[in-house]
């Protein structure tokens, strides 16, 4: 099995950059920058965010290239670094949009209606309003938006187990609040 000349050149440039050759690192960056930006763009969907993620990725690559043990691993290593940067950017964007606040906006009565349930919708909405913000968000996304636990976890940027715990505690509090009022 023969390796392509491009891969051999990349391996040589990585080895030289690890040895401290700045010119080799510049050539490596010139060869890989567009690929890393394109990868980031696919992940973020935003060209500006993609350029930022790739730039931040290069900072980490510069700092860590000396610890890269196998020159052949550079492509997957560099893509992984940029992928992590994109994930951080996406997580920050989600937090900035305050997804939890928008998910718990005052629900309308039709969201809660179940034929024959006989439940006072105002009492239920009031009970949901007093839940901690994290639990309100989980309840709203899971029950009102009909998202799966995994989807709620992605939306809130928390592990699946955390979503399950929040839903469990929220249900207990809602049950106690609604049964206590009867």
């Amino acid at each position: 099995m023969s390796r392509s000349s491009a891969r051999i050149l990349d391996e040589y440039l990585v080895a030289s950059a690890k040895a401290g050759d700045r010119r080799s690192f510049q050539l490596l960056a010139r060869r890989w920058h567009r690929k890393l930006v394109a990868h980031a763009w696919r992940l973020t969907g935003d060209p500006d965010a993609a350029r930022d993620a790739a730039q931040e990725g290069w900072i980490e690559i510069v700092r860590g290239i000396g610890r890269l043990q196998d020159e052949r691993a550079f492509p997957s290593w560099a893509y992984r670094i940029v992928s992590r940067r994109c994930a951080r950017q996406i997580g920050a964007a989600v937090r900035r949009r305050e997804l939890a606040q928008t998910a718990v906006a005052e629900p309308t009565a039709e969201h809660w209606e179940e034929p024959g349930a006989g439940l006072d919708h105002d009492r239920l909405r009031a009970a949901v309003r007093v839940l901690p913000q994290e639990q309100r968000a989980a309840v709203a996304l899971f029950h009102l938006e009909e998202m799966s636990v995994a989807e709620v976890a992605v939306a809130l940027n928390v592990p699946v187990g955390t979503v399950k715990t929040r839903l469990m505690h929220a249900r207990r509090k809602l049950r106690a609040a609604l049964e206590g009022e009867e």
Side-chain angles (χ1 to χ4, degrees):
M1 169 159 80
S2 75
R3 295 182 296 165
S4 71
S5 58
R7 285 196 135 223
I8 292 170
L9 176 59
D10 287 336
E11 291 170 23
Y12 170 78
L13 292 173
V14 170
S16 295
K18 283 173 59 175
D21 183 357
R22 287 185 177 182
R23 178 90 172 117
S24 291
F25 192 85
Q26 289 171 344
L27 289 171
L28 184 68
R30 195 173 305 142
R31 290 176 53 79
W32 278 89
H33 185 70
R34 281 186 175 187
K35 293 177 185 180
L36 296 178
V37 170
H39 175 66
W41 194 348
R42 282 189 296 272
L43 294 175
T44 64
D46 178 5
D48 293 328
R51 284 189 289 277
D52 290 345
Q55 190 63 37
E56 292 170 7
W58 278 110
I59 292 168
E60 193 171 332
I61 290 168
V62 167
R63 291 179 180 158
I65 197 160
R67 293 185 306 273
L68 182 63
Q69 294 177 359
D70 185 359
E71 289 80 13
R72 293 175 294 180
F74 177 80
S76 59
W77 179 70
Y79 281 129
R80 186 176 67 234
I81 288 171
V82 171
S83 295
R84 282 195 317 254
R85 291 291 171 177
C86 290
R88 287 181 191 138
Q89 281 187 349
I90 291 167
V94 167
R95 285 187 296 280
R96 278 191 306 272
R97 283 186 234 129
E98 298 178 350
L99 177 63
Q101 286 294 346
T102 59
V104 298
E106 183 69 26
T108 58
E110 68 262 10
H111 282 112
W112 297 97
E113 288 183 18
E114 288 183 32
L119 182 62
D120 183 353
H121 300 295
D122 293 331
R123 281 185 26 214
L124 182 56
R125 280 195 298 271
V128 170
R129 259 187 254 122
V130 298
L131 290 173
Q133 180 180 359
E134 298 84 12
Q135 292 175 10
R136 282 194 319 255
V139 166
L141 292 174
F142 186 77
H143 290 289
L144 300 179
E145 301 301 325
E146 299 178 352
M147 294 174 106
S148 70
V149 171
E151 291 169 328
V152 173
V154 170
L156 298 178
N157 194 29
V158 297
V160 169
T162 301
V163 172
K164 290 178 180 179
T165 301
R166 288 177 182 175
L167 288 171
M168 177 190 68
H169 289 297
R171 287 180 188 130
R172 283 183 185 162
K173 289 176 183 175
L174 290 173
R175 186 177 304 116
L178 294 174
E179 288 175 355
E181 289 182 10
E182 289 182 25

